[in-house]
Amino acid sequence: MIVHVLMALAAVVALGWLFGQVFRYLGQPPVIGEVIAGIALGPSLLGRFFPDTAAFLVPTAIGPYLSVIAQLGVIIYMFLIGLELNLDALKGG
């Protein structure tokens, strides 16, 4: 089980980094490439065109684990955004 979770996380990170670099080369923000990488690994593209690969890479049994990891990532990201938030700049002064 843990091997599948780590393999899925490695695929997400690697493809996100690769797409981010391609988009940076194209003069776009890397985060756009990372979002597109996430879409490419999801059911919209990978699941539709290569369902066997999607089932091997992200079996339904690890979905809840990936969801928890994703939620923790969002929480940490929002915390870091809050640390860098400048309230004086928001007030206009």
Side-chain angles (χ1 to χ4, degrees):
M1 178 78 62
I2 190 76
V3 172
H4 274 104
V5 172
L6 292 175
M7 189 172 57
L9 286 174
V12 168
V13 170
L15 197 65
W17 179 84
L18 180 67
F19 276 41
Q21 294 302 312
V22 169
F23 273 69
R24 178 175 296 171
Y25 177 77
L26 296 174
Q28 299 298 317
V31 71
I32 302 300
E34 294 162 359
V35 168
I36 291 176
I39 292 170
L41 285 174
S44 299
L45 290 178
L46 186 65
R48 176 165 293 176
F49 296 112
F50 303 103
D52 293 335
T53 304
F56 173 74
L57 185 62
V58 187
T60 55
I62 69 166
Y65 300 107
L66 289 178
S67 178
V68 168
I69 293 169
Q71 291 299 320
L72 286 173
V74 168
I75 290 168
I76 292 169
Y77 178 72
M78 296 307 290
F79 177 74
L80 291 173
I81 293 297
L83 284 177
E84 295 185 15
L85 184 63
N86 185 354
L87 293 176
D88 291 333
L90 288 177
K91 292 178 186 174

